[in-house]
Amino acid sequence: MGVRGKLRMSVSVVKAAMKEMRRSVTYMPRPGDGKPRGVTLIPGDGIGPLVTNAVEQVMEAMHAPLYFEKYEVHGDMRRVPEEVLDSIRKNKVCLKGGLRTPVGGGVSSLNVQLRKDLDLYASLVNCFNLPGLPTRHDNVDIVVIRENTEGEYAGLEHEVVPGVVESLKVMSKFCSERIAKYAFEYAYLNNRKKVTAVHKANIMKLADGLFLESCRQVATKYPGIKYNEIIVDNCCMQLVSKPEQFDVMVTPNLYGNLVANTAAGIAGGTGVMPGGNVGADHAVFEQGASAGNVGKEKILEQKKANPVALLLSSAMMLRHLQFPSFADRLETAVKRVISEGKYMTKDLGGVSTTQQVVDAVISNLD
């Protein structure tokens, strides 16, 4: 056998060994854990149906043990229909595309309504470098955990007199403590080393001061995790200059939206960042940053929306449902496609359609 033949054999042996190493014997399912689980599916507006269909195709190709209950919900509705909320309460899990939020006017965001109605108090966005996707910074792996139910997003606004509007920022000890607990618990369970609280307590001394006080109290219960604090404006500057210093970040509602989108832009764009919203009883998975983004008309017409963010969010969902091997397979396939660089949508510097990316992911499934 020639040198090349021996080399090919060696590569094959290494690949087989690595495949064996990926198989874990530590996860022992309970009897009945393989029963298909119902998941509420909200395709949403704009590119939403395109990228949620991408997830449906990949799940079918993997024979994932779940089925979707699909509902039409659109951002111009006054409220999320009650039958949709009932479906999520029954299934405990939902996957959704973006819901268009009108700017101004009297229509409130259905994305925010959904979080409040189901008490999805924690938003989680994971912003990280993907091999094969060039960015300005390396070694970025940031998890932004954002309080979802109060702060400026409470929506308590009124016109005091014509031309004068008052908007209230509501902060409570209860909500501040539970988001801090979630952030530290997440760090503890995922072997994260540091939690950073983002605030503006130098100006909003009572509201953000209460948030910081809650974070400090919770931090004392996790001595193995480093805790620090940063003012939100300095945080934004540090994110764009040295993002690798951050690990887990815990924030009030509005700051978290800004920080998560900034971190996503640094790590490769909103089209590749997964995320979800979780409460004590329910979880809704969606594109991590700019979850209300429904895409541009031209992207929709050309069918070139990036499905990667929602595919990775659905991997998070599979792990949440206790289907870790399916989550691993999906994540590995997506990362292979990005690493190869052949099938990339326009936002990542390519020209591929959504379907071409989906086909590439399916072909890379182990």
Side-chain angles (χ1 to χ4, degrees):
M1 182 182 292
V3 174
R4 288 185 180 180
K6 290 181 180 179
L7 184 59
R8 280 197 295 269
M9 181 177 289
S10 298
V11 170
S12 299
V13 170
V14 169
K15 284 184 176 180
M18 289 179 67
K19 191 171 183 180
E20 287 297 322
M21 287 171 64
R22 285 201 301 269
R23 293 176 184 161
S24 172
V25 296
T26 57
Y27 174 68
M28 184 172 69
R30 295 163 299 186
D33 273 359
K35 180 180 178 181
R37 294 283 301 274
V39 174
T40 305
L41 179 64
I42 301 175
D45 297 315
I47 64 170
L50 197 58
V51 293
T52 53
N53 178 255
V55 173
E56 289 183 276
Q57 290 184 60
V58 174
M59 293 296 172
E60 184 177 353
M62 287 198 301
H63 303 291
L66 54 80
Y67 60 91
F68 291 110
E69 296 179 1
K70 191 181 297 187
Y71 291 89
E72 290 296 321
V73 181
H74 300 286
D76 57 0
M77 293 179 172
R78 303 298 298 186
R79 288 200 59 82
V80 177
E82 197 59 38
E83 63 265 25
V84 179
L85 294 173
D86 288 342
S87 174
I88 299 174
R89 291 185 182 111
K90 172 175 67 76
N91 293 326
K92 309 294 185 185
V93 176
C94 172
L95 182 72
K96 65 178 281 291
L99 293 172
R100 183 179 283 108
T101 300
V103 178
V107 181
S108 61
S109 167
L110 292 193
N111 297 298
V112 174
Q113 279 188 27
L114 195 60
R115 295 163 194 162
K116 287 184 177 179
D117 288 345
L118 298 171
D119 196 26
L120 304 172
Y121 67 85
S123 163
L124 187 150
V125 181
N126 190 189
C127 303
F128 55 94
N129 292 124
L130 283 164
L133 188 59
T135 59
R136 291 179 181 272
H137 299 277
D138 297 323
N139 303 315
V140 177
D141 187 6
I142 302 169
V143 174
V144 181
I145 294 176
R146 159 191 173 196
E147 206 291 318
N148 244 352
T149 61
E150 54 178 20
E152 292 86 351
Y153 277 60
L156 299 176
E157 297 181 314
H158 64 278
E159 191 172 39
V160 182
V161 295
V164 179
V165 172
E166 185 176 51
S167 180
L168 302 180
K169 173 176 178 171
V170 176
M171 302 285 279
S172 69
K173 186 174 180 62
F174 172 78
C175 289
S176 296
E177 278 189 351
R178 71 175 180 174
I179 195 65
K181 287 176 182 176
Y182 184 81
F184 276 93
E185 186 177 65
Y186 174 89
Y188 171 66
L189 293 174
N190 288 276
N191 195 29
R192 295 279 182 159
K193 306 304 182 186
K194 181 171 68 173
V195 173
T196 301
V198 182
H199 68 95
K200 191 65 178 173
N202 57 324
I203 302 299
M204 300 179 190
K205 299 182 184 298
L206 292 179
D208 285 22
L210 177 61
F211 175 76
L212 281 187
E213 179 187 331
S214 300
C215 289
R216 290 167 184 167
Q217 288 177 353
V218 173
T220 61
K221 300 176 183 177
Y222 293 85
I225 298 173
K226 184 179 178 181
Y227 170 71
N228 66 345
E229 300 166 358
I230 189 169
I231 297 173
V232 64
D233 38 354
N234 182 33
C235 173
C236 293
M237 188 272 287
Q238 294 289 335
L239 268 173
V240 298
S241 60
K242 196 179 178 184
E244 61 275 8
Q245 69 182 285
F246 296 107
D247 191 355
V248 176
M249 306 175 79
V250 59
T251 78
N253 208 331
L254 178 61
Y255 309 155
N257 191 19
L258 306 175
V259 168
N261 279 272
T262 303
I266 289 164
T270 58
V272 294
M273 299 303 148
N277 304 278
V278 66
D281 301 310
H282 314 96
V284 174
F285 296 87
E286 59 190 354
Q287 178 174 306
S290 295
N293 178 25
V294 295
K296 297 178 180 178
E297 285 295 328
K298 188 175 181 180
I299 295 294
L300 181 58
E301 290 171 6
Q302 296 175 341
K303 296 186 177 180
K304 291 186 175 182
N306 190 346
V308 169
L310 202 64
L311 286 171
L312 291 175
S313 296
S314 66
M316 287 175 58
M317 179 185 74
L318 286 168
R319 205 162 274 117
H320 178 81
L321 289 169
Q322 298 296 309
F323 299 138
S325 64
F326 287 91
D328 292 343
R329 288 173 61 201
L330 177 51
E331 280 186 1
T332 300
V334 170
K335 289 177 180 178
R336 281 177 184 166
V337 172
I338 297 294
S339 180
E340 290 167 2
K342 186 177 179 182
Y343 297 101
M344 307 273 255
T345 49
K346 185 178 180 181
D347 59 312
L348 303 183
V351 295
S352 300
T353 64
T354 305
Q355 191 58 52
Q356 287 173 325
V357 176
V358 172
D359 292 340
V361 169
I362 291 174
S363 68
N364 275 280
L365 289 170
D366 283 334

